[in-house]
């Protein structure tokens, strides 16, 4: 029986993610555990590294720096854009668009609107944040051939397609 977290295993975790002030940003509580394919970059590198070699039933606490998390905050990904140039020609705070950037397509979120212009931010909402994870490993199993091909997990806690 597989019990240890290693590359190309499907790992199910219960987790709570908090910021430095102890505010909960995300949690699996009240939902089914998150299932991911280990070593495939499905989760942030700092958490994936910390889980390597852990066993089912272990609980760990991990502090992940922005570099090992969702990236450092990049001011160059903020841009003021004329609303008439946006795909839907309208803008509201919280709207997101997929736009071309110099590193390929990227999600941009409207963070403010002033007159005919919208401020777009292409940073991940958690960019620049130190992440505090509490994680319990609840299951480790072998992936199916299809999961390996797709690079992610299917079924409960994974992709539904
Ligand atoms: Zn798939």
């Amino acid at each position: 029986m597989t019990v240890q977290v290693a590359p190309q295993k499907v790992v199910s975790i219960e987790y709570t993610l908090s910021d430095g002030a102890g505010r909960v940003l995300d949690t699996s509580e009240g939902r089914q555990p998150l299932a991911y394919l280990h070593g495939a970059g499905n989760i942030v590198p700092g958490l994936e590294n910390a889980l390597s070699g852990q066993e089912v039933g272990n609980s760990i606490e991990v502090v992940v720096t922005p570099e090992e998390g969702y990236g450092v905050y990049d001011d160059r990904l903020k841009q003021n854009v004329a609303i008439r140039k946006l795909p839907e020609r309208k803008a509201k705070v919280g709207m997101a668009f997929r736009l071309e950037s110099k590193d390929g397509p990227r999600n941009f979120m409207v963070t403010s609107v002033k007159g005919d212009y919208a401020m777009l931010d292409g940073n991940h909402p958690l960019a620049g944040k130190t992440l505090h994870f509490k994680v319990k490993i609840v299951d480790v199993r072998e992936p199916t051939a299809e999961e390996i091909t797709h690079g992610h997990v299917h079924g409960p806690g994974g992709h539904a397609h």
Side-chain angles (χ1 to χ4, degrees):
M1 204 178 105
T2 313
V3 290
Q4 208 165 39
V5 176
Q8 299 231 310
K9 304 283 186 212
V10 173
V11 183
S12 296
I13 54 174
E14 291 171 353
Y15 70 94
T16 297
L17 167 61
S18 314
D19 66 11
R23 265 188 310 255
V24 173
L25 303 172
D26 188 18
T27 178
S28 65
E29 224 180 280
R31 286 186 272 152
Q32 58 192 353
L34 172 77
Y36 76 96
L37 185 62
H38 195 77
N42 294 168
I43 59 174
V44 295
L47 181 58
E48 189 162 59
N49 292 339
L51 285 165
S52 277
Q54 295 289 335
E55 294 183 357
V56 171
N58 285 7
S59 293
I60 58 170
E61 292 193 22
V62 191
V63 179
V64 175
T65 62
E67 289 84 354
E68 293 278 282
Y70 290 99
V72 293
Y73 192 88
D74 184 352
D75 273 321
R76 290 167 306 176
L77 290 173
K78 271 186 95 171
Q79 22 183 307
N80 212 17
V81 175
I83 290 171
R84 63 186 162 77
K85 289 191 174 167
L86 292 174
E88 297 179 46
R89 293 164 189 271
K90 57 183 181 186
K92 248 170 73 182
V93 172
M95 275 174 109
F97 309 97
R98 203 153 174 83
L99 300 174
E100 274 309 316
S101 75
K102 58 177 171 49
D103 320 310
R106 199 176 179 99
N107 284 327
F108 285 83
M109 174 119 55
V110 178
T111 55
S112 64
V113 178
K114 216 174 193 177
D116 296 333
Y117 285 83
M119 184 60 82
L120 300 187
D121 191 342
N123 287 286
H124 189 281
L126 295 177
K129 291 208 160 56
T130 297
L131 311 170
H132 297 250
F133 285 99
K134 279 186 187 170
V135 181
K136 184 177 182 195
I137 297 105
V138 293
D139 188 49
V140 176
R141 68 165 168 86
E142 296 296 333
T144 65
E146 193 185 46
E147 286 171 330
I148 291 179
T149 308
H150 286 206
H152 57 230
V153 174
H154 297 156
H159 284 238
H161 71 157

